[in-house]
Amino acid sequence: MGTETKDNTFKTTNPTNGKTLETYTHMSDQEVQETIKKSHEAFKSWRFKSFEERAKIISAIGKELNTQKTELSKLMTDEMGKLLKQSHQEVTLCSAICDYCASNASEILKNEERELSDGGRGIITFSPVGVIYGIQPWNYPSYQVIRYAITNLMAGNSVLLKHAANVTGTAKLLEKIFKDAGLPDGLFSVLVIDHDQSDAIIEHKLVRGVTLTGSPGAGKVIGKKAGAELKKTVLELGSNDAYLVLHDADIEVAVEKSVQGRIYNNGETCIAAKRFIAVESIYEDFKTAFVKAMNALTLGDPNKDDTDLGPMARKDLREKIHEQVTESVEKGATILCGGQIKEGDGFYYPATVLENVKPGQPAYDDELFGPVASLIKAKDEDDAMRIANDSRFGLGGGIFSKDVDRAIELASKHFDTGMVFINSFGLAEPNMPFGGVKDSGYGREHGGFGLKEFVNTKAIMISEDD
């Protein structure tokens, strides 16, 4: 959220120094209505464009993202505090998503033919449905938008975006980039609105689907509102992903990837490594090396090359994670490093490791959206997997083991999550599905699966004369 004022405006803030970046004004209800109608009108033409015509523009968006990478990356870092080098990586990923969708949509969404029981012919088509409304968070200000927008545009839909208030500048710049790349007016529209206005959009008769990335609480609210209107949703929600360090893990690799997995994007990632479950036989070795590596991280200005960890995106987010750490300690957890709010300007929080993490503590039960790691000892492999699945969440997870075949078996048959990373940590791949189970939501993005989330899978059946 941005800083609200009394005159329907709000301000964005640089989390590095707490200074105001820009002031924005919420759209009027009339402007919102006109934008939705314009989006629908644009869809009516766009839906009949060939895959080749759409792909040409989607590819151009990917190129324009790279052309404006410097400006976009700097703005993302200024608005939410991610390391500048990681902002550059985010834009590169966005461009890759454009390329993947442009290259593969025609094959993924092509008509399918089947023989009918009476000898007739069946055709299955995947038709666009209309205006898709996306409610997106601040932690990956460009990627979260590109992930759903490009997929739906390539499928033939039009897109509305309600972005998190504190990254409004990024939203507006993306809108400009889409336009600069040649996307027709109305197909991608940013709505600078409040929550009440957002509810009205979900109810609007011209809006055909809703996609949200956010917290489980937000997912329940949006899912209920959309369900009441009989509108499909895709929900990508939070998690407290478990990473298993098994007896035969390469400790050096496990520590390196675990640190990266916990503090990448300042630890503010749904699919970040959050609970580290090491089996008893190697627990002490992993703990010693992991705490040493976390304690050695450089906390500072995200624009500097030698910084490992930037600020939290907002002051309230820092307050929340510190409250979760404090409550966990009050309930028996111990701090091995970090755990104290940094003095001075900006919303900094140090890399923190908690031990003696048990059920009933926020560090075990909840999502810690920041650079705080929960370290848990398991008796053996079976116990480690039990602890990993002892969660209401199920977005991602990881396994460190030299026996890759065994790790694959554990991942495929036992890990109750949407994604599992073996000897690595979670980052999105354009050609692999992204999404979770349980309180981490439902539906999939990427890998071609997202292209079919908001289309009409239509059956056409033709009787053949004898």
Side-chain angles (χ1 to χ4, degrees):
M1 58 184 176
T3 303
E4 298 287 341
T5 64
K6 296 181 180 180
D7 59 353
N8 203 34
T9 65
F10 62 95
K11 297 177 180 179
T12 54
T13 302
N14 188 328
T16 302
N17 53 32
K19 294 181 179 179
T20 297
L21 289 169
E22 191 62 74
T23 300
Y24 298 94
T25 303
H26 286 129
M27 299 169 69
S28 68
D29 291 345
Q30 183 178 347
E31 288 175 311
V32 172
Q33 292 294 320
E34 291 172 354
T35 301
I36 296 172
K37 291 177 182 177
K38 186 175 181 180
S39 182
H40 179 67
E41 289 301 314
F43 158 71
K44 291 197 295 185
S45 299
W46 182 250
R47 66 177 303 183
F48 294 115
K49 299 292 184 182
S50 67
F51 285 119
E52 291 74 20
E53 290 174 297
R54 293 180 208 153
K56 184 177 180 180
I57 293 176
I58 297 304
S59 293
I61 292 172
K63 291 183 176 65
E64 194 62 34
L65 283 164
N66 280 324
T67 298
Q68 301 191 37
K69 179 187 286 188
T70 299
E71 181 183 359
L72 180 58
S73 298
K74 183 66 168 63
L75 181 56
M76 287 194 291
T77 293
D78 286 347
E79 286 192 320
M80 60 74 57
K82 68 167 67 241
L83 299 187
L84 183 60
K85 56 191 172 186
Q86 292 178 3
S87 289
H88 280 270
Q89 292 166 2
E90 181 173 339
V91 178
T92 298
L93 173 59
C94 290
S95 181
I97 292 169
C98 293
D99 291 342
Y100 179 85
C101 288
S103 300
N104 293 280
S106 60
E107 179 65 23
I108 293 166
L109 295 175
K110 70 179 181 181
N111 291 354
E112 297 179 16
E113 294 211 11
R114 299 184 182 178
E115 183 178 344
L116 304 180
S117 59
D118 65 356
R121 184 162 62 105
I123 302 173
I124 302 169
T125 66
F126 303 97
S127 305
V129 294
V131 179
I132 306 302
Y133 177 42
I135 304 169
Q136 300 301 319
W138 48 264
N139 59 327
Y140 285 89
S142 293
Y143 164 67
Q144 301 285 8
V145 175
I146 295 295
R147 186 167 75 186
Y148 89 95
I150 293 300
T151 295
N152 280 292
L153 288 169
M154 195 63 221
N157 297 316
S158 62
V159 172
L160 301 173
L161 167 65
K162 179 192 182 300
H163 216 332
N166 59 317
V167 291
T168 299
T170 297
K172 300 299 289 183
L173 181 53
L174 286 172
E175 188 175 44
K176 176 181 179 297
I177 288 171
F178 279 44
K179 184 175 182 179
D180 290 347
L183 187 71
D185 287 346
L187 288 176
F188 177 78
S189 305
V190 173
L191 300 172
V192 182
I193 55 176
D194 61 25
H195 291 298
D196 291 340
Q197 290 174 303
S198 179
D199 291 346
I201 292 169
I202 294 172
E203 298 169 0
H204 199 288
K205 64 180 181 180
L206 295 179
V207 173
R208 296 290 299 274
V210 181
T211 179
L212 164 80
T213 298
S215 69
K220 290 178 181 179
V221 171
I222 298 303
K224 183 177 180 179
K225 291 181 183 296
E229 302 299 323
L230 300 179
K231 294 178 182 179
K232 183 179 180 180
T233 52
V234 168
L235 303 177
E236 194 271 281
L237 311 177
S239 194
N240 61 354
D241 289 1
Y243 275 57
L244 279 57
V245 187
L246 302 183
H247 72 279
D248 62 345
D250 183 318
I251 297 298
E252 186 176 341
V253 171
V255 169
E256 178 189 358
K257 299 300 183 182
S258 293
V259 171
Q260 291 175 347
R262 179 60 285 204
I263 62 102
Y264 193 87
N265 205 51
N266 301 332
E268 297 167 314
T269 303
C270 296
I271 199 172
K274 298 185 177 85
R275 293 182 298 147
F276 300 87
I277 306 168
V279 298
E280 194 169 26
S281 61
I282 53 87
Y283 178 83
E284 291 298 332
D285 290 341
F286 176 76
K287 179 180 80 170
T288 299
F290 182 59
V291 173
K292 181 181 179 181
M294 289 284 279
N295 204 31
L297 295 169
T298 300
L299 183 67
D301 187 342
N303 293 285
K304 294 183 177 179
D305 292 338
D306 61 351
T307 296
D308 298 312
L309 188 61
M312 304 273 301
R314 298 193 310 258
K315 183 179 180 181
D316 64 299
L317 297 168
R318 181 174 68 171
E319 292 172 349
K320 179 180 179 180
I321 199 164
H322 189 59
E323 288 172 0
Q324 290 175 307
V325 169
T326 301
E327 183 181 345
S328 296
V329 171
E330 289 172 350
K331 293 182 176 180
T334 55
I335 298 174
L336 299 182
C337 69
Q340 295 296 323
I341 291 178
K342 184 178 182 290
E343 297 291 334
D345 295 334
F347 311 137
Y348 291 93
Y349 200 81
T352 300
V353 180
L354 300 178
E355 193 181 26
N356 297 322
V357 174
K358 308 287 185 183
Q361 301 170 2
Y364 186 98
D365 297 331
D366 301 330
E367 179 174 39
L368 301 187
F369 214 64
V372 179
S374 300
L375 193 53
I376 304 170
K377 184 192 294 185
K379 295 175 182 177
D380 52 27
E381 179 184 290
D382 290 342
D383 192 37
M385 186 57 71
R386 177 193 65 78
I387 295 169
N389 288 331
D390 183 27
S391 172
R392 70 181 188 273
F393 297 107
L395 187 57
I399 301 172
F400 292 104
S401 172
K402 292 177 183 176
D403 187 346
V404 173
D405 289 339
R406 175 61 178 154
I408 292 171
E409 182 180 9
L410 290 171
S412 61
K413 296 181 179 180
H414 300 277
F415 226 141
D416 192 12
T417 63
M419 296 167 277
V420 181
F421 303 88
I422 296 174
N423 295 324
S424 184
F425 72 98
L427 286 176
E429 292 281 346
N431 64 342
M432 292 293 288
F434 190 104
V437 295
K438 299 190 281 187
D439 279 13
S440 292
Y442 50 78
R444 290 296 180 268
E445 296 171 297
H446 293 326
F449 296 89
L451 285 162
K452 290 185 176 179
E453 288 287 1
F454 292 105
V455 293
N456 176 10
T457 304
K458 186 183 301 182
I460 302 171
M461 288 158 278
I462 307 111
S463 295
E464 302 285 0
D465 295 331
D466 293 336

